[in-house]
């Protein structure tokens, strides 16, 4: 037996392959080293850098985040990872001076009613005074306090739920653009129970969303008053050096020697002894005890279509949309109608293909040189998939034209940067809960195989980190059962 065959045949220490070196795969790799410290770990990444969709570019002094520019702090996995990696001093909260978010209506920006949280208001007076709703729309929204609970337990779309509780006008003008800014999808197809289950639970527990949200906010204020020490962070935080710093440092923690860049898994073959032979695009292969796919769902399904047919067939059913992110920078004196806030969302009814935008230089410090404003605009999604494929010059022209209308901008941008992510945003459409159960059942029947990533249980950075952890925990359980 050759030295390589003997090494691959050892049974006391598992050989583990993690496919993908984005934030999910690198988090999973860290977990492997924690749970299986004697394992031989390899990470294959088809790109020439780590980070996946996460990326940071500095262009002419402007810091441009190619995709993720922050993450939520109400769940622990993202912020805990940053602290563990020594990023405590770099964690940066959103600027409280510019907390406002805006909604586009007829090519003008209007402030989102204060206290409106994704699907429901927490304050009544701002809803009464907002110019975004007509008097009838405001009255219909207020009637939510009196509506009965829904009796059916079937999945419901975000659109159906919002219209039923708060009315069509509130949905079209406020809720739909907020949801679109998060998921980039079609709210009439997105499953409420799979995307925003807490609102379904609010209706079940408290009947009225407005009443439930009011109670939740009061409780949050009480907790805040009771806190006496510790770091205070906003709802969203980022890293002052840019989000790319996170996967880079995570790769250092895992060990760069374990990462093979430019290597893509194309086929996985189940061996008679329960192990896996994994092939790359050049036809080379290696044998592993445990496989963890942290790639996009299509790549994972394609590699598994022969050896784990049920898993592959179900995983391949994941729907996706694409998005392009355009950064535009202007001198402050070019902006005739400056709006100092976090950002804006755009209803589908505006018909321009823009989903949302953020004022990066207001949102976080050090994103732009003094005397300039940096805008970050999202286009495409389910409403305008063709935008992602436009020629770069045409894409920039269209986005610049829309921002010019909103802010009365004069002249050309002083800096432009474009990033495209076709088919990168998984969509949790109706039927998602059944899909997830079928996928889990199929995975349970495949010991030594796990999946992780945004296509499963959440699209934000913390959810991806947790997905990587959960996938490793499944593999450890499988390994313990095999020994």
């Amino acid at each position: 037996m050759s030295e390589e065959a003997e090494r691959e045949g050892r049974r006391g220490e598992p050989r583990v392959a993690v496919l993908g070196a984005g934030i999910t795969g690198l988090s999973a790799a860290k977990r492997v080293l924690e749970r299986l410290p004697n394992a031989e770990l390899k990470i294959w990444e088809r790109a020439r850098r780590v980070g996946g969709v996460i990326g940071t570019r500095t262009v002419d002094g402007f810091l441009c985040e190619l995709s993720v520019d922050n993450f939520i702090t109400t769940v622990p996995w993202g912020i805990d990872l940053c602290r563990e990696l020594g990023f405590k001093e770099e964690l940066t909260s959103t600027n409280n001076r510019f907390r406002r978010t805006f909604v586009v209506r007829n090519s003008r920006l209007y402030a989102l009613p204060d206290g409106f949280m994704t699907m429901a208001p927490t304050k009544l007076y701002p809803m009464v005074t907002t110019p975004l709703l007509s008097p009838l729309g405001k009255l219909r929204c207020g009637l939510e306090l009196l509506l009965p609970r829904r009796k059916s337990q079937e999945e419901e779309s975000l659109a159906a739920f919002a219209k039923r509780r708060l009315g069509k006008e509130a949905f079209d003008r406020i809720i739909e653009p907020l949801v679109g800014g998060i998921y980039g999808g079609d709210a009439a197809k997105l499953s409420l129970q799979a995307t925003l289950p807490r609102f379904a639970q609010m209706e079940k527990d408290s009947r009225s969303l407005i009443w439930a949200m009011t109670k939740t906010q009061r409780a949050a204020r009480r907790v805040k008053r009771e806190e006496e020490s510790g770091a205070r962070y906003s709802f969203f935080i980022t890293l002052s050096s840019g989000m790319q710093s996170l996967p880079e440092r995570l790769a250092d923690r895992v060990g760069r020697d374990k990462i093979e860049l430019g290597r893509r898994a194309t086929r996985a073959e189940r061996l008679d002894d329960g192990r896996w032979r994994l092939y790359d695009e050049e036809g080379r292969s290696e044998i592993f005890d445990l496989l963890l796919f942290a790639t996009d769902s299509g790549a994972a399904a394609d590699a598994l279509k022969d050896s784990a047919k049920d898993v592959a067939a179900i995983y391949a059913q994941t729907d996706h949309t694409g998005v392009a992110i355009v950064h535009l920078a202007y001198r402050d004196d070019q902006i005739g109608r400056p709006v100092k806030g976090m950002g804006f969302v755009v209803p589908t009814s505006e018909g321009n293909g823009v989903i949302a935008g953020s004022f990066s230089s207001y949102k976080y410090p050090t994103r732009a040189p003094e005397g300039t404003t940096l805008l970050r605009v999202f286009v495409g999604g389910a409403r305008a998939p063709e935008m992602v494929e436009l020629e770069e010059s045409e894409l920039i022209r269209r986005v610049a034209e829309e921002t010019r209308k909103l802010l009365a901008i004069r002249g050309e941008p002083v800096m432009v940067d474009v990033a495209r992510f076709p088919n990168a945003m998984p969509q949790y459409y109706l039927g998602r809960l059944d899909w997830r159960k079928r996928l889990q059942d199929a995975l349970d029947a495949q010991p030594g195989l796990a999946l992780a990533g945004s296509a499963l249980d959440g699209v934000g950075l913390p959810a991806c980190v947790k997905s990587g952890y959960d996938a490793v925990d499944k593999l450890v359980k499988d390994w313990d059962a095999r020994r």
Side-chain angles (χ1 to χ4, degrees):
M1 180 181 290
S2 69
E3 181 180 345
E4 177 68 14
E6 183 178 359
R7 182 173 66 82
E8 290 191 342
R10 290 179 301 177
R11 306 298 294 173
E13 300 174 2
R15 300 194 79 229
V16 184
V18 172
L19 295 316
I23 192 64
T24 304
L26 291 172
S27 298
K30 181 181 78 73
R31 187 75 155 193
V32 168
L33 298 178
E34 293 167 350
R35 296 292 313 274
L36 297 168
N38 295 319
E40 183 182 351
L41 172 65
K42 284 198 173 185
I43 305 166
W44 293 8
E45 167 54 54
R46 64 183 178 185
R48 293 292 177 180
R49 67 172 183 87
V50 300
V53 298
I54 295 177
T56 305
R57 271 199 292 258
T58 300
V59 184
D60 298 333
F62 296 92
L63 192 150
C64 303
E65 297 286 15
L66 306 190
S67 62
V68 178
D69 73 334
N70 57 28
F71 59 91
I72 200 166
T73 60
T74 55
V75 292
W77 306 288
I79 195 167
D80 284 353
L81 178 61
C82 286
R83 288 168 174 159
E84 183 181 345
L85 295 175
F87 279 114
K88 184 176 179 181
E89 300 303 318
E90 287 196 45
L91 292 173
T92 303
S93 294
T94 50
N95 194 331
N96 284 332
R97 293 173 54 204
F98 309 119
R99 288 181 55 192
R100 293 189 301 172
T101 298
F102 298 86
V103 180
V104 176
R105 180 160 171 74
N106 297 325
S107 296
R108 298 295 297 267
L109 291 169
Y110 295 89
L112 181 73
D114 187 34
F116 200 98
M117 303 290 286
T118 311
M119 294 278 282
T122 62
K123 301 177 182 178
L124 293 181
Y125 183 72
M127 292 298 293
V128 172
T129 58
T130 180
L132 287 168
L133 298 177
S134 69
L136 285 177
K138 295 171 184 178
L139 177 61
R140 172 62 183 84
C141 192
L143 289 175
E144 197 276 337
L145 285 162
L146 306 176
L147 293 179
R149 293 178 178 85
R150 178 175 181 250
K151 294 180 180 180
S152 173
Q153 298 301 308
E154 292 183 1
E155 266 187 287
E156 188 175 17
S157 73
L158 285 172
F161 177 82
K163 291 176 183 178
R164 179 171 59 79
R165 295 302 313 182
L166 295 161
K168 185 177 184 303
E169 188 174 306
F171 170 77
D172 290 341
R173 299 185 184 183
I174 299 177
I175 298 170
E176 186 270 338
L178 286 173
V179 170
I182 298 170
Y183 296 101
D186 183 347
K189 296 180 181 178
L190 289 169
S191 164
L192 173 75
Q193 287 75 12
T195 54
L196 297 170
R198 70 188 185 107
F199 288 97
Q201 192 63 42
M202 284 179 188
E203 181 183 31
K204 181 179 179 181
D205 294 342
S206 302
R207 185 181 55 77
S208 166
L209 298 185
I210 296 175
W211 176 235
M213 291 293 286
T214 301
K215 289 191 296 183
T216 299
Q217 290 300 301
R218 287 175 181 171
R221 286 193 291 269
R222 283 198 300 270
V223 170
K224 186 176 181 180
R225 286 194 298 267
E226 291 168 1
E227 291 177 341
E228 295 180 355
S229 63
R232 302 291 192 271
Y233 296 112
S234 58
F235 198 66
F236 291 99
I237 58 175
T238 191
L239 296 175
S240 58
S241 56
M243 291 300 298
Q244 178 68 22
S245 300
L246 180 56
E248 294 289 348
R249 192 171 297 183
L250 189 50
D252 291 339
R253 170 68 64 88
V254 169
R256 298 276 180 168
D257 60 313
K258 299 178 179 65
I259 304 172
E260 296 188 50
L261 299 177
R263 193 173 190 189
R264 179 169 65 91
T266 57
R267 184 165 67 90
E269 176 187 343
R270 174 76 84 172
L271 302 179
D272 291 340
D273 62 3
R275 293 183 297 164
W276 299 86
R277 181 176 290 278
L278 191 64
Y279 293 85
D280 65 17
E281 55 193 340
E282 295 182 6
R284 298 173 297 172
S285 70
E286 293 186 45
I287 294 176
F288 296 95
D289 296 286
L290 306 172
L291 291 188
L292 193 158
F293 279 88
T295 64
D296 64 83
S297 59
D302 192 51
L304 292 167
K305 63 185 178 183
D306 296 324
S307 56
K309 294 180 180 179
D310 289 347
V311 172
I314 298 169
Y315 209 31
Q317 295 169 4
T318 309
D319 293 293
H320 291 81
T321 62
V323 67
I325 300 175
V326 181
H327 284 85
L328 301 169
Y330 296 93
R331 298 188 313 275
D332 290 346
D333 60 15
Q334 290 180 271
I335 301 176
R337 196 162 50 239
V339 179
K340 296 187 177 183
M342 295 293 179
F344 59 89
V345 294
V346 185
T348 298
S349 58
E350 290 292 305
N352 56 31
V354 175
I355 301 170
S358 62
F359 302 107
S360 295
S361 49
Y362 295 144
K363 191 175 181 180
Y364 295 111
T366 70
R367 289 295 189 259
E370 186 175 354
T372 62
T373 296
L374 178 62
L375 307 178
R376 187 169 183 262
V377 183
F378 298 77
V379 301
R383 68 175 62 167
E386 71 282 357
M387 292 282 283
V388 183
E389 305 299 331
L390 287 176
E391 290 289 335
E392 187 165 297
S393 59
E394 177 63 11
L395 176 61
I396 293 169
R397 186 193 69 77
R398 292 195 191 186
V399 173
E401 178 62 27
E402 294 305 323
T403 56
R404 186 174 294 116
K405 294 176 187 176
L406 293 176
L407 303 175
I409 294 172
R410 299 178 294 273
E412 298 301 314
V414 298
M415 189 283 301
V416 175
D417 185 79
V418 175
R420 303 173 194 259
F421 299 96
N423 299 315
M425 299 179 69
Q427 299 298 300
Y428 296 2
Y429 287 153
L430 289 168
R432 173 77 185 189
L433 299 184
D434 176 68
W435 175 90
R436 188 67 181 90
K437 183 180 184 305
R438 289 189 291 112
L439 180 60
Q440 189 59 55
D441 289 344
L443 277 171
D444 289 343
Q446 293 286 348
L449 174 66
L451 304 174
S454 60
L456 297 173
D457 300 310
V459 296
L461 183 146
C464 288
V465 173
K466 182 178 185 297
S467 179
Y469 292 168
D470 290 346
V472 173
D473 292 344
K474 190 261 188 193
L475 292 183
V476 172
K477 182 179 178 181
D478 291 345
W479 178 248
D480 287 343
R482 185 191 302 181
R483 288 193 292 178

